[in-house]
mmCIF file of all heavy atoms in Angstrom:
data_model
loop_
_atom_site.group_PDB
_atom_site.id
_atom_site.type_symbol
_atom_site.label_atom_id
_atom_site.label_comp_id
_atom_site.label_asym_id
_atom_site.label_seq_id
_atom_site.Cartn_x
_atom_site.Cartn_y
_atom_site.Cartn_z
ATOM 1 N N TRP C 45 43.681 184.456 -30.215
ATOM 2 C CA TRP C 45 43.095 183.478 -31.124
ATOM 3 C C TRP C 45 44.093 183.092 -32.213
ATOM 4 O O TRP C 45 43.942 183.408 -33.378
ATOM 5 C CB TRP C 45 41.790 184.003 -31.712
ATOM 6 C CG TRP C 45 40.701 184.048 -30.690
ATOM 7 C CD1 TRP C 45 40.020 185.137 -30.260
ATOM 8 C CD2 TRP C 45 40.187 182.939 -29.941
ATOM 9 N NE1 TRP C 45 39.121 184.796 -29.288
ATOM 10 C CE2 TRP C 45 39.190 183.456 -29.070
ATOM 11 C CE3 TRP C 45 40.478 181.578 -29.905
ATOM 12 C CZ2 TRP C 45 38.483 182.638 -28.190
ATOM 13 C CZ3 TRP C 45 39.768 180.763 -29.020
ATOM 14 C CH2 TRP C 45 38.785 181.293 -28.182
ATOM 15 N N GLY C 88 24.889 173.678 -25.665
ATOM 16 C CA GLY C 88 24.847 174.218 -27.015
ATOM 17 C C GLY C 88 25.672 175.468 -27.247
ATOM 18 O O GLY C 88 25.640 176.019 -28.344
ATOM 19 N N ILE C 89 26.424 175.915 -26.241
ATOM 20 C CA ILE C 89 27.246 177.113 -26.436
ATOM 21 C C ILE C 89 28.502 176.730 -27.220
ATOM 22 O O ILE C 89 29.102 175.684 -26.985
ATOM 23 C CB ILE C 89 27.612 177.765 -25.095
ATOM 24 C CG1 ILE C 89 26.348 178.296 -24.417
ATOM 25 C CG2 ILE C 89 28.605 178.905 -25.281
ATOM 26 C CD1 ILE C 89 26.582 179.023 -23.121
ATOM 27 N N ASN C 90 28.886 177.589 -28.151
ATOM 28 C CA ASN C 90 30.039 177.331 -28.994
ATOM 29 C C ASN C 90 31.285 177.015 -28.159
ATOM 30 O O ASN C 90 31.555 177.679 -27.164
ATOM 31 C CB ASN C 90 30.282 178.552 -29.886
ATOM 32 C CG ASN C 90 31.453 178.365 -30.820
ATOM 33 O OD1 ASN C 90 32.530 178.860 -30.562
ATOM 34 N ND2 ASN C 90 31.250 177.635 -31.898
ATOM 35 N N ALA C 91 32.039 175.996 -28.589
ATOM 36 C CA ALA C 91 33.199 175.538 -27.822
ATOM 37 C C ALA C 91 34.231 176.643 -27.612
ATOM 38 O O ALA C 91 34.834 176.746 -26.534
ATOM 39 C CB ALA C 91 33.837 174.342 -28.522
ATOM 40 N N LEU C 92 34.450 177.483 -28.621
ATOM 41 C CA LEU C 92 35.445 178.550 -28.483
ATOM 42 C C LEU C 92 35.052 179.531 -27.382
ATOM 43 O O LEU C 92 35.900 180.026 -26.640
ATOM 44 C CB LEU C 92 35.618 179.289 -29.807
ATOM 45 C CG LEU C 92 36.188 178.498 -30.984
ATOM 46 C CD1 LEU C 92 36.291 179.393 -32.217
ATOM 47 C CD2 LEU C 92 37.544 177.904 -30.651
ATOM 48 N N ALA C 93 33.740 179.818 -27.303
ATOM 49 C CA ALA C 93 33.273 180.776 -26.301
ATOM 50 C C ALA C 93 33.469 180.230 -24.886
ATOM 51 O O ALA C 93 33.943 180.952 -23.987
ATOM 52 C CB ALA C 93 31.802 181.107 -26.543
ATOM 53 N N ILE C 94 33.115 178.953 -24.664
ATOM 54 C CA ILE C 94 33.291 178.380 -23.321
ATOM 55 C C ILE C 94 34.778 178.240 -22.995
ATOM 56 O O ILE C 94 35.203 178.490 -21.866
ATOM 57 C CB ILE C 94 32.603 177.006 -23.198
ATOM 58 C CG1 ILE C 94 31.142 177.057 -23.641
ATOM 59 C CG2 ILE C 94 32.656 176.514 -21.749
ATOM 60 C CD1 ILE C 94 30.434 175.713 -23.573
ATOM 61 N N ALA C 172 25.923 199.659 -30.240
ATOM 62 C CA ALA C 172 25.743 198.743 -31.373
ATOM 63 C C ALA C 172 24.617 197.762 -31.068
ATOM 64 O O ALA C 172 24.347 197.464 -29.902
ATOM 65 C CB ALA C 172 27.034 197.978 -31.622
ATOM 66 N N PRO C 173 23.927 197.242 -32.105
ATOM 67 C CA PRO C 173 22.882 196.237 -31.860
ATOM 68 C C PRO C 173 23.476 194.956 -31.291
ATOM 69 O O PRO C 173 24.582 194.547 -31.674
ATOM 70 C CB PRO C 173 22.280 196.004 -33.247
ATOM 71 C CG PRO C 173 23.305 196.474 -34.211
ATOM 72 C CD PRO C 173 24.056 197.571 -33.533
ATOM 73 N N CYS C 174 22.762 194.321 -30.387
ATOM 74 C CA CYS C 174 23.249 193.085 -29.761
ATOM 75 C C CYS C 174 23.529 192.013 -30.812
ATOM 76 O O CYS C 174 24.465 191.218 -30.668
ATOM 77 C CB CYS C 174 22.234 192.559 -28.761
ATOM 78 S SG CYS C 174 21.778 193.733 -27.461
ATOM 79 N N GLN C 175 22.699 191.990 -31.875
ATOM 80 C CA GLN C 175 22.854 190.953 -32.884
ATOM 81 C C GLN C 175 24.162 191.085 -33.667
ATOM 82 O O GLN C 175 24.607 190.129 -34.295
ATOM 83 C CB GLN C 175 21.676 190.973 -33.854
ATOM 84 C CG GLN C 175 21.603 192.212 -34.727
ATOM 85 C CD GLN C 175 20.557 192.092 -35.811
ATOM 86 O OE1 GLN C 175 20.042 191.010 -36.075
ATOM 87 N NE2 GLN C 175 20.222 193.211 -36.441
ATOM 88 N N ALA C 176 24.793 192.252 -33.629
ATOM 89 C CA ALA C 176 26.051 192.431 -34.360
ATOM 90 C C ALA C 176 27.121 191.475 -33.845
ATOM 91 O O ALA C 176 27.930 190.969 -34.624
ATOM 92 C CB ALA C 176 26.522 193.871 -34.239
ATOM 93 N N CYS C 177 27.127 191.220 -32.537
ATOM 94 C CA CYS C 177 28.116 190.311 -31.957
ATOM 95 C C CYS C 177 27.535 188.940 -31.634
ATOM 96 O O CYS C 177 28.221 187.926 -31.780
ATOM 97 C CB CYS C 177 28.715 190.898 -30.681
ATOM 98 S SG CYS C 177 29.740 192.356 -30.960
ATOM 99 N N HIS C 178 26.269 188.922 -31.190
ATOM 100 C CA HIS C 178 25.689 187.670 -30.701
ATOM 101 C C HIS C 178 24.797 186.971 -31.725
ATOM 102 O O HIS C 178 24.271 185.895 -31.440
ATOM 103 C CB HIS C 178 24.905 187.923 -29.415
ATOM 104 C CG HIS C 178 25.781 188.350 -28.279
ATOM 105 N ND1 HIS C 178 26.559 187.469 -27.552
ATOM 106 C CD2 HIS C 178 26.030 189.581 -27.755
ATOM 107 C CE1 HIS C 178 27.234 188.128 -26.627
ATOM 108 N NE2 HIS C 178 26.932 189.413 -26.721
ATOM 109 N N GLY C 179 24.621 187.573 -32.896
ATOM 110 C CA GLY C 179 23.871 186.923 -33.966
ATOM 111 C C GLY C 179 22.392 187.275 -33.972
ATOM 112 O O GLY C 179 21.814 187.623 -32.934
ATOM 113 N N PRO C 180 21.745 187.183 -35.155
ATOM 114 C CA PRO C 180 20.333 187.560 -35.282
ATOM 115 C C PRO C 180 19.368 186.622 -34.564
ATOM 116 O O PRO C 180 18.246 187.001 -34.267
ATOM 117 C CB PRO C 180 20.098 187.537 -36.796
ATOM 118 C CG PRO C 180 21.151 186.626 -37.321
ATOM 119 C CD PRO C 180 22.341 186.808 -36.435
ATOM 120 N N VAL C 181 19.801 185.385 -34.277
ATOM 121 C CA VAL C 181 18.982 184.479 -33.460
ATOM 122 C C VAL C 181 19.770 184.126 -32.190
ATOM 123 O O VAL C 181 19.673 183.028 -31.660
ATOM 124 C CB VAL C 181 18.560 183.214 -34.227
ATOM 125 C CG1 VAL C 181 17.504 183.540 -35.254
ATOM 126 C CG2 VAL C 181 19.754 182.519 -34.875
ATOM 127 N N ALA C 182 20.544 185.108 -31.711
ATOM 128 C CA ALA C 182 21.280 185.021 -30.454
ATOM 129 C C ALA C 182 22.346 183.942 -30.458
ATOM 130 O O ALA C 182 22.762 183.453 -29.411
ATOM 131 C CB ALA C 182 20.329 184.826 -29.277
ATOM 132 N N PHE C 183 22.817 183.562 -31.654
ATOM 133 C CA PHE C 183 23.914 182.599 -31.740
ATOM 134 C C PHE C 183 24.850 183.012 -32.856
ATOM 135 O O PHE C 183 24.415 183.347 -33.958
ATOM 136 C CB PHE C 183 23.401 181.178 -32.029
ATOM 137 C CG PHE C 183 24.518 180.154 -32.098
ATOM 138 C CD1 PHE C 183 24.922 179.498 -30.955
ATOM 139 C CD2 PHE C 183 25.169 179.891 -33.291
ATOM 140 C CE1 PHE C 183 25.974 178.574 -30.998
ATOM 141 C CE2 PHE C 183 26.212 178.975 -33.348
ATOM 142 C CZ PHE C 183 26.617 178.312 -32.199
ATOM 143 N N LYS C 184 26.153 182.995 -32.534
ATOM 144 C CA LYS C 184 27.170 183.308 -33.527
ATOM 145 C C LYS C 184 28.454 182.612 -33.107
ATOM 146 O O LYS C 184 28.837 182.662 -31.935
ATOM 147 C CB LYS C 184 27.390 184.825 -33.611
ATOM 148 C CG LYS C 184 28.261 185.275 -34.773
ATOM 149 C CD LYS C 184 28.276 186.807 -34.829
ATOM 150 C CE LYS C 184 29.087 187.310 -36.019
ATOM 151 N NZ LYS C 184 29.081 188.794 -36.074
ATOM 152 N N THR C 185 29.103 181.934 -34.035
ATOM 153 C CA THR C 185 30.317 181.179 -33.720
ATOM 154 C C THR C 185 31.357 182.063 -33.043
ATOM 155 O O THR C 185 31.674 183.145 -33.528
ATOM 156 C CB THR C 185 30.914 180.563 -34.993
ATOM 157 O OG1 THR C 185 29.946 179.697 -35.587
ATOM 158 C CG2 THR C 185 32.171 179.770 -34.668
ATOM 159 N N GLY C 186 31.863 181.592 -31.921
ATOM 160 C CA GLY C 186 32.899 182.310 -31.193
ATOM 161 C C GLY C 186 32.386 183.268 -30.137
ATOM 162 O O GLY C 186 33.142 183.694 -29.275
ATOM 163 N N ALA C 187 31.090 183.600 -30.203
ATOM 164 C CA ALA C 187 30.498 184.515 -29.218
ATOM 165 C C ALA C 187 29.617 183.734 -28.254
ATOM 166 O O ALA C 187 29.035 182.717 -28.628
ATOM 167 C CB ALA C 187 29.671 185.589 -29.917
ATOM 168 N N PRO C 188 29.504 184.182 -27.011
ATOM 169 C CA PRO C 188 28.604 183.496 -26.080
ATOM 170 C C PRO C 188 27.165 183.515 -26.598
ATOM 171 O O PRO C 188 26.641 184.573 -26.944
ATOM 172 C CB PRO C 188 28.736 184.307 -24.789
ATOM 173 C CG PRO C 188 30.064 184.978 -24.904
ATOM 174 C CD PRO C 188 30.244 185.274 -26.365
ATOM 175 N N SER C 189 26.554 182.354 -26.666
ATOM 176 C CA SER C 189 25.173 182.277 -27.131
ATOM 177 C C SER C 189 24.230 182.837 -26.072
ATOM 178 O O SER C 189 24.368 182.567 -24.882
ATOM 179 C CB SER C 189 24.805 180.818 -27.423
ATOM 180 O OG SER C 189 23.429 180.703 -27.703
ATOM 181 N N LEU C 190 23.260 183.630 -26.517
ATOM 182 C CA LEU C 190 22.230 184.159 -25.619
ATOM 183 C C LEU C 190 20.877 183.503 -25.893
ATOM 184 O O LEU C 190 19.884 183.842 -25.252
ATOM 185 C CB LEU C 190 22.107 185.676 -25.802
ATOM 186 C CG LEU C 190 23.392 186.489 -25.626
ATOM 187 C CD1 LEU C 190 23.104 187.971 -25.796
ATOM 188 C CD2 LEU C 190 24.056 186.214 -24.279
ATOM 189 N N ALA C 191 20.850 182.566 -26.829
ATOM 190 C CA ALA C 191 19.581 181.995 -27.292
ATOM 191 C C ALA C 191 18.826 181.293 -26.178
ATOM 192 O O ALA C 191 17.590 181.361 -26.128
ATOM 193 C CB ALA C 191 19.843 181.029 -28.448
ATOM 194 N N THR C 192 19.522 180.613 -25.294
ATOM 195 C CA THR C 192 18.856 179.860 -24.224
ATOM 196 C C THR C 192 19.487 180.184 -22.872
ATOM 197 O O THR C 192 19.641 179.316 -22.024
ATOM 198 C CB THR C 192 18.945 178.344 -24.493
ATOM 199 O OG1 THR C 192 20.327 177.980 -24.680
ATOM 200 C CG2 THR C 192 18.143 177.949 -25.719
ATOM 201 N N TYR C 237 15.956 188.008 -23.467
ATOM 202 C CA TYR C 237 16.679 186.768 -23.769
ATOM 203 C C TYR C 237 16.265 185.637 -22.831
ATOM 204 O O TYR C 237 16.165 184.480 -23.250
ATOM 205 C CB TYR C 237 18.182 187.013 -23.686
ATOM 206 C CG TYR C 237 18.736 187.746 -24.879
ATOM 207 C CD1 TYR C 237 19.292 189.016 -24.754
ATOM 208 C CD2 TYR C 237 18.711 187.162 -26.147
ATOM 209 C CE1 TYR C 237 19.813 189.689 -25.854
ATOM 210 C CE2 TYR C 237 19.221 187.836 -27.255
ATOM 211 C CZ TYR C 237 19.768 189.092 -27.100
ATOM 212 O OH TYR C 237 20.271 189.752 -28.197
ATOM 213 N N GLY C 242 15.161 185.562 -27.875
ATOM 214 C CA GLY C 242 16.344 185.605 -28.720
ATOM 215 C C GLY C 242 16.369 184.508 -29.761
ATOM 216 O O GLY C 242 17.090 184.602 -30.754
ATOM 217 N N LEU C 243 15.584 183.453 -29.558
ATOM 218 C CA LEU C 243 15.516 182.355 -30.525
ATOM 219 C C LEU C 243 14.785 182.760 -31.800
ATOM 220 O O LEU C 243 14.885 182.077 -32.816
ATOM 221 C CB LEU C 243 14.817 181.157 -29.899
ATOM 222 C CG LEU C 243 15.640 180.384 -28.869
ATOM 223 C CD1 LEU C 243 14.737 179.490 -28.019
ATOM 224 C CD2 LEU C 243 16.712 179.562 -29.542
#
Side-chain angles (χ1 to χ4, degrees):
W45 289 119
I89 294 183
N90 181 259
L92 295 180
I94 308 178
C174 303
Q175 67 171 347
C177 292
H178 294 282
V181 287
F183 181 89
K184 190 174 183 179
T185 301
S189 172
L190 305 182
T192 54
Y237 284 116
L243 286 163

